[in-house]
Amino acid sequence: MIFSRDLCADIILANGKIITVDGEGTIASAVAVKDGRILRVGSDEQVLETLGETTRIIDLLGKTVVPGLIDSHMHPGAYGVYRVGGVQCGPDLNSIPELLERLAEKAENTPKGKWILGFTLDDVRLGRYPTRWELDSVTPDNPLYIQRRDGHIGVANSLALEAGKVSKDTPDPPHGIIDRDESGVPTGVLREAAKDLVYLKMPKYTEEDFYNGLKLVFDEFIELGLTTVHASMTYHNEFKAMQRMKRNRALKLRVCVHASGRDEGLLESLITAGIQTPFGDDWLKLTEIEWVFDNSTSGRTAAYYKPYVGEPDNKGILAYEQDDLTDRVTRAHLAGLRVGLDGIGDRGIDRALDAIEAALKVKPVEDHRHRIEHCCHVTPEIQDRLIKLRVI
């Protein structure tokens, strides 16, 4: 029987191994898809019953089909603009000389005075961070800022430090640390809020920058089997680029948007507009507003109750004052916005849960679906709190 076009499958994948991930662990041989949804799964004979005049049939030749992968926390916008306009500083480099050689090549092809952005610096693989003076030797005419692979620490050359007005007399900003040598002179390494002194002086990324970058990285994600991504800390220009991709039929995977709580005025705009989460459709959906509250274990800035090995005075840094974070979370919660808080160390997760718990006391909601992003060092006590508060 041949079905009419409005009833038949668009695509049939047959003669393969279809991993269904149902309760019984069933492996079928064929699957039919219509309008982007699974129409039927089963034997070749069963699925071919959905065949129509316009159906495309793909013979899998025994190959395996798995469900699309979902990445629950990533930064596609930042990754995209880095890939398009930046210079990769790891993890493929194994020494400081190799890093300097790559930066020198980038500087040779960059107009004098233009910022250079480096990304994915791996100080562990390199053995240490480069100093500002080493960076000056290969980028004497360009302000340079390099982001560590975790995004929580940056390294700047002297021109970039000057742009950020970072000098020997500059105090550490709240929630940040400026590394210094024995004489108190900044070495170029900027931890947490200190990196913003320089990073925020760089030219702002435009909607066009994000659009070009997202097209590149979304294609890469699809090749890796990702069909849905959660876009963490999405700024308004990045969100506009995603909407433009959707209008242009260029959005090839599903995106759950985590609005950036750092984007000045964005929370207030969402509240004023009456936006509640989830908002959108299957392809592009605003699912939460997020704050990076806790930081990086590998960068030794995540907040723990016990100090880091070899650093008895270092228990990490939290990115907001507790009262400030609680106020932000409560305002979002009362407005019907799901909240995501980055919590990595045990102290960071606990303090994030404190903010969510305070908001729930003001307005109890059983299925609120607030989240702790990353949620790494989960002790049994924290696990109990997560269950009690119904936090994801």
Side-chain angles (χ1 to χ4, degrees):
M1 178 178 179
I2 301 296
F3 286 97
S4 62
R5 183 170 184 170
D6 59 331
L7 296 176
C8 69
D10 298 324
I11 301 173
I12 290 177
L13 307 177
N15 187 27
K17 298 180 180 67
I18 313 298
I19 309 299
T20 66
V21 200
D22 64 6
E24 289 73 43
T26 304
I27 298 178
S29 62
V31 59
V33 177
K34 181 174 180 58
D35 296 330
R37 295 180 178 274
I38 293 175
L39 180 63
R40 183 177 292 184
V41 181
S43 67
D44 287 359
E45 182 179 5
Q46 291 170 324
V47 171
L48 286 171
E49 291 178 353
T50 67
L51 178 67
E53 295 179 355
T54 60
T55 303
R56 178 188 176 198
I57 302 178
I58 298 176
D59 186 346
L60 295 172
L61 301 174
K63 294 178 181 178
T64 299
V65 175
V66 299
L69 303 175
I70 300 173
D71 191 309
S72 64
H73 185 106
M74 59 152 56
H75 302 266
Y79 181 44
V81 294
Y82 293 170
R83 283 282 305 277
V84 170
V87 53
Q88 186 171 333
C89 296
D92 59 322
L93 301 176
N94 296 301
S95 68
I96 297 295
E98 286 183 31
L99 170 65
L100 296 178
E101 182 179 352
R102 182 169 294 178
L103 291 171
E105 181 179 349
K106 178 68 173 179
E108 287 177 6
N109 298 293
T110 302
K112 183 177 180 179
K114 183 178 180 180
W115 279 81
I116 296 175
L117 172 65
F119 62 98
T120 58
L121 178 74
D122 190 337
D123 58 293
V124 177
R125 185 179 289 271
L126 296 178
R128 60 177 175 84
Y129 290 104
T131 69
R132 63 187 290 185
W133 302 284
E134 289 172 319
L135 299 177
D136 291 346
S137 69
V138 292
T139 57
D141 301 316
N142 302 89
L144 166 70
Y145 173 82
I146 308 174
Q147 191 94 296
R148 189 181 187 270
R149 57 189 172 88
D150 59 4
H152 288 267
I153 296 172
V155 188
N157 70 358
S158 294
L159 287 177
L161 292 172
E162 290 173 13
K165 299 181 179 179
V166 178
S167 68
K168 183 177 181 179
D169 299 323
T170 305
D172 288 346
H175 316 291
I177 296 173
I178 301 170
D179 280 19
R180 307 169 193 271
D181 65 12
E182 299 81 1
S183 303
V185 176
T187 64
V189 177
L190 306 167
R191 302 174 189 270
E192 300 303 342
K195 67 182 175 56
D196 293 339
L197 297 173
V198 169
Y199 186 74
L200 295 180
K201 295 297 181 181
M202 296 183 63
K204 298 291 187 295
Y205 299 122
T206 65
E207 177 187 334
E208 191 71 20
D209 293 331
F210 282 117
Y211 188 85
N212 293 331
L214 288 170
K215 284 198 302 182
L216 177 69
V217 299
F218 281 170
D219 283 344
E220 178 184 329
F221 296 164
I222 291 170
E223 290 181 1
L224 295 171
L226 292 172
T227 55
T228 300
V229 298
H230 288 243
S232 174
M233 296 298 289
T234 300
Y235 280 71
H236 66 279
N237 275 340
E238 181 183 352
F239 191 30
K240 288 167 68 176
M242 292 174 179
Q243 295 177 74
R244 178 177 157 198
M245 293 183 74
K246 185 171 183 290
R247 288 194 302 271
N248 294 346
R249 300 181 181 274
L251 190 62
K252 301 176 183 178
L253 46 68
R254 292 167 172 82
V255 182
C256 300
V257 175
H258 300 187
S260 172
R262 291 192 63 189
D263 197 347
E264 191 67 34
L266 186 53
L267 171 62
E268 291 72 20
S269 296
L270 292 172
I271 293 174
T272 300
I275 301 296
Q276 297 182 329
T277 49
F279 182 84
D281 59 22
D282 285 348
W283 286 95
L284 186 60
K285 183 184 302 182
L286 180 66
T287 56
E288 69 177 56
I289 185 164
E290 178 186 352
W291 284 275
V292 176
F293 179 46
D294 196 11
N295 297 301
S296 166
T297 297
S298 64
R300 295 196 161 207
T301 59
Y304 289 87
Y305 288 114
K306 294 181 179 179
Y308 285 87
V309 173
E311 299 181 34
D313 296 326
N314 181 15
K315 295 183 179 181
I317 304 169
L318 289 172
Y320 293 88
E321 297 298 326
Q322 190 68 40
D323 289 345
D324 180 19
L325 183 74
T326 299
D327 175 68
R328 294 167 186 261
V329 171
T330 301
R331 284 190 286 138
H333 173 71
L334 291 175
L337 296 168
R338 294 177 184 169
V339 168
L341 299 178
D342 289 29
I344 288 81
D346 50 3
R347 182 164 64 94
I349 299 171
D350 260 340
R351 298 294 78 79
L353 289 174
D354 288 347
I356 293 173
E357 185 172 18
L360 291 171
K361 286 181 179 178
V362 176
K363 182 183 179 181
V365 176
E366 184 174 355
D367 191 26
H368 51 81
R369 305 191 72 76
H370 298 319
R371 306 189 352 167
I372 302 296
E373 305 294 328
H374 305 295
C375 207
C376 299
H377 189 54
V378 178
T379 62
E381 294 78 13
I382 288 176
Q383 187 174 35
D384 290 341
R385 289 194 74 189
L386 290 165
I387 294 170
K388 178 181 177 181
L389 294 172
R390 300 176 65 87
V391 172
I392 297 172

